[in-house]
Amino acid sequence: LLLFLLFVGPFNCFASYSRATELFYSLNEGLPAGVLIGSLARDLRLPTASGQRPASPQPPLSFTLASRGLGGQYVQLDNRSGELHTSDVEIDREALCVESSGVTVFGGASAVSSSSSPSSESCLLLLDVLVLPQEYFRLVKVKIAIRDVNDNAPRFPVPHIRLSVPENAPVNTRLAIEHPALDPDVGTNGVQTYRLRDNYGVFTLDVEENESGERTPYLIVMGALDRETREEYVTVIVAEDGGTPPLVGSATLTIAISDINDNCPQFSDSQFNVTLYGNSSLGTHLATVHAVDMDLGSNAQITYSYSQKVPQPSRDLFHLDESTGAITLSSKVDGDTPRLHRLIILGNGPGCIPAVITVLVTIIKVMMRPPEVVPRFIANEAEGVVYLKELEPINTPIAFFTIKDPDEKYKVSCYLEGDGPFRLSPYKPYNNEYLLETTKPLDYETQQLYEISVVAWNSEGFHVNKIVRIQVLDDNDNSPVFSQQLIELSIEENNVPNAFLTKLHATDADSGERGQVSYFLGPDAPSYFSLDKSTGVLTVSTQLDREEKEKYRYTVKAVDSGFPPRESIATVTITVLDKNDNSPRFINKDFSFFVPENFPGFGEIGVISVTDADAGQNGWVALSVLNGSDIFVIDTGKGVLRAKVSLDREQQSSYVLWIEAVDGGDPALSSTAKITILLLDINDNPPLVLFPQSNMSYLLVLPSTLPGSPITEVYAVDKDTGMNAVIAYSIIGRRGPRPESFRIDPKTGNITLEESLMQNDYGLYRLLVKVSDHGYPEPLHSTVMVNLFVNDTVSNESYIESLLRKEPDISIEEKQPQISIEPTHKKMESASCMPTLVALSIISLGSIALVTGMGIYICLRKGKKHHRADENLEVQIPLNGRINLHMLEKKPMEISNI
């Protein structure tokens, strides 16, 4: 007892400071994670929540779920603040609170209704929360009500609902629809109303709600129904809930109108007449009566019977089939049989007044018995029909016919009546036997059924017909036949894969399987064509390219299903039509043409070759110059490039053009090419003398100038290029005291003194220099006059100018200047100095003193005159071969001796 008190005592004390609390929250289903449900610390008014501080330090509050059951997965509890939030697991009210007869418990939480009887309107999530430490310990019962949202649309359990309504259903008849729509939502979010999408003016819907709140739709008949007018009505039934916005569900509703026996049999006529010969055999068919009942099934069953007004002898003479209404002769006609019989026949239906028709039978009495025709069939026969295969040989026997007179009084003959390849002939040696046989092969495709009659008549003119029906049996004797032996097709290139080409059609005159045709591609057909075996649809599985192949030709076969099979062949030709899918293509992307300058205007510079793989108008190409159209033009048809004017290389040495080629397609495609025109130089420019500038200029040459000394130079340029610009200099005319004293370098144009100048060499020297190029085919040249005045000084300039004005009497030397493109060798200079050396040697030997004196004299003269400046006149010479000194411009200019 002491131990028990020691153990229980502390708990009694603990319980005295604790108490149980209940909190209630509500939230919508389907909320995301992190939504605040409530704060336990605040709602429990704990000190930390109210902001009051305890007098002495206390441990922090702690909130803990008593059990982590299934209910705990929907919430997150903050252990410090006591805030309750939604978790990552979404709350689905319809899954959590499934309606049942009891409470569903989920571990530490349970989903229950608020009453002992579960309600569709409430769904509670129960949680147990422990609050610690001991000073604030309590067990908190948390109830979270899950509010329904309209997140489910009504749904019918079956997609098709069938309802049967009798056609005699009165107006306002109500029929329950056994499969109402279901909506997991509750309250107004559940199913509220039903409607028909099309009521045809004879139906409407009503909704009834039972004690448990379930709503059942009822179909109400609003108008008269008639199955014979319309057998069924197909519409859509729509269920709508009360949410905002409302959600709907639908199903197909078929209303079948069931038949009732509201129609009776009826004959189309009320009376008709029949004639019967008195010698007719038993079983002879007289007529068939037929009545119609618009009802179905057992309501439309009709039986036929004689009226009670028909006398018994007539009933015994004529048999009436109660099911088919056929009337046949059931007993022999004799002399006592009445000639007229009135047969009143009733058409009986269930629950109906019988329909009535009258058949008047008139019997024509015959005094003698007709001839008899007795057939004995050789070929296959069944129920009066003879079966013969086509292509049977000629004279195939069909049947024997025995012809006789029952009274044996009259002669009986017979013949064959009807069309067909048949013959009836007496069979010897018998008198009354006849053989029916074929006269030519039968053809099923020409005619399948023949009906012929073997007619027997006696000498009194009485005759009897025996009808023979001959059915021709088909054989596989016909091959399939294409409607066209040559099938010509066309398709545009770049078609879509599996494009339809055509549907082949072949017929086979045979019947049954022998006439069923299958289609096959020939061995020469490309693999990307396919032919449906059954339908004959011809397709192409890939894109066709006309530029790769324009024509396709192959065979197709039509094969029947006979044994052995027969086939026929047709040819398919496919033309691939062009589309503008190829741009014009130049043979080269860059064209280069070398054209001599001064080429005549509109001359052919070159041909621009361009092709287009397309055909027809799509392959027509038009060329145009995109730039330089004011100078160049191109022939669109031939692609010839021409210049409108003559081209000068010295003005522009090359041209770069862009040529555009545009085809004739719609839309048009184009491409461009670069054209480079390089002008080749021709010798159309003579050398241009730049120095001296005038034929009237002169240069003072001192007598003391040593041989080999350069005096002056002639400088010229040529605008041409290559060999046309290589210039050679030559002296073609000389005048002066000793004109051969000067020479010119053919390459550089430098004029040098060849020999020493003497006393008698003083005076004016005039050298006519020819400046020539090396052009082809003919070189061009210019001339210039080089004037050299040999003297110590220029004392009288007017005198010199008067000499320059005079027309020089110079003989033209026709020697061509010799020049090499390579530098000139020294041998040329030494050869030109040779005459000078010889002359100096002779003079030295003749008079050493005279030479010494002259040398001293020259040196003195040179020292005195060294400071003087000389004058020189320069002018550009016109570019022609003849010299006209009177036309030259005279302009003096001072120059110094070199």
Side-chain angles (χ1 to χ4, degrees), residues 766-812:
R766 309 197 74 175
L767 305 177
L768 182 60
V769 177
K770 179 180 180 182
V771 183
S772 177
D773 58 26
H774 282 63
Y776 179 84
E778 183 175 346
L780 301 179
H781 68 274
S782 299
T783 59
V784 65
M785 188 68 72
V786 179
N787 301 304
L788 303 175
F789 185 64
V790 179
N791 202 357
D792 292 328
T793 183
V794 179
S795 58
N796 190 352
E797 293 184 0
S798 61
Y799 170 72
I800 297 174
E801 291 179 0
S802 65
L803 293 177
L804 294 175
R805 291 191 190 97
K806 293 181 180 180
E807 183 74 26
D809 185 11
I810 300 176
S811 59
I812 306 299

Side-chain angles (χ1 to χ4, degrees), residues 634-668:
I634 192 167
D635 187 337
T636 297
K638 299 180 179 179
V640 177
L641 181 65
R642 307 176 190 272
K644 299 179 183 178
V645 297
S646 179
L647 304 178
D648 187 0
R649 190 202 64 80
E650 285 71 37
Q651 292 183 2
Q652 187 171 341
S653 61
S654 65
Y655 295 87
V656 177
L657 304 179
W658 288 96
I659 303 298
E660 182 182 38
V662 181
D663 62 22
D666 184 20

Side-chain angles (χ1 to χ4, degrees), residues 61 84 122 159 181 191 199 211 314 320 403 415 484 531 575 611 624 628 668 774 826 852 872 892:
L61 290 175
L84 201 61
S122 62
V191 178
N199 57 19
E211 295 178 355
S314 297
L320 174 64
I403 309 300
Y415 66 91
Q484 294 175 290
L531 180 61
T575 302
T611 60
S624 61
H774 282 63
K826 278 293 182 180
T852 303
N872 186 25

Side-chain angles (χ1 to χ4, degrees), residues 277-297:
Y277 287 101
N279 59 352
S280 297
S281 58
L282 295 178
T284 300
H285 179 266
L286 278 72
T288 300
V289 295
H290 181 68
V292 178
D293 192 324
M294 298 300 293
D295 292 326
L296 291 177

Side-chain angles (χ1 to χ4, degrees), residues 826-887:
K826 278 293 182 180
K827 289 183 178 181
M828 297 175 63
E829 296 183 1
S830 61
S832 63
C833 294
M834 201 52 122
T836 305
L837 295 176
V838 174
L840 289 176
S841 300
I842 296 173
I843 294 173
S844 298
L845 294 175
S847 180
I848 295 174
L850 180 61
V851 173
T852 303
M854 290 181 64
I856 296 170
Y857 174 77
I858 292 172
C859 290
L860 294 174
R861 294 283 294 181
K862 180 179 179 182
K864 292 179 182 180
K865 304 297 183 177
H866 187 67
H867 63 281
R868 296 189 180 181
D870 299 324
E871 295 180 353
N872 186 25
L873 298 174
E874 295 178 343
V875 69
Q876 184 173 340
I877 308 301
L879 303 180
N880 52 41
R882 294 186 300 173
I883 305 171
N884 188 353
L885 298 179
H886 294 291
M887 300 301 292

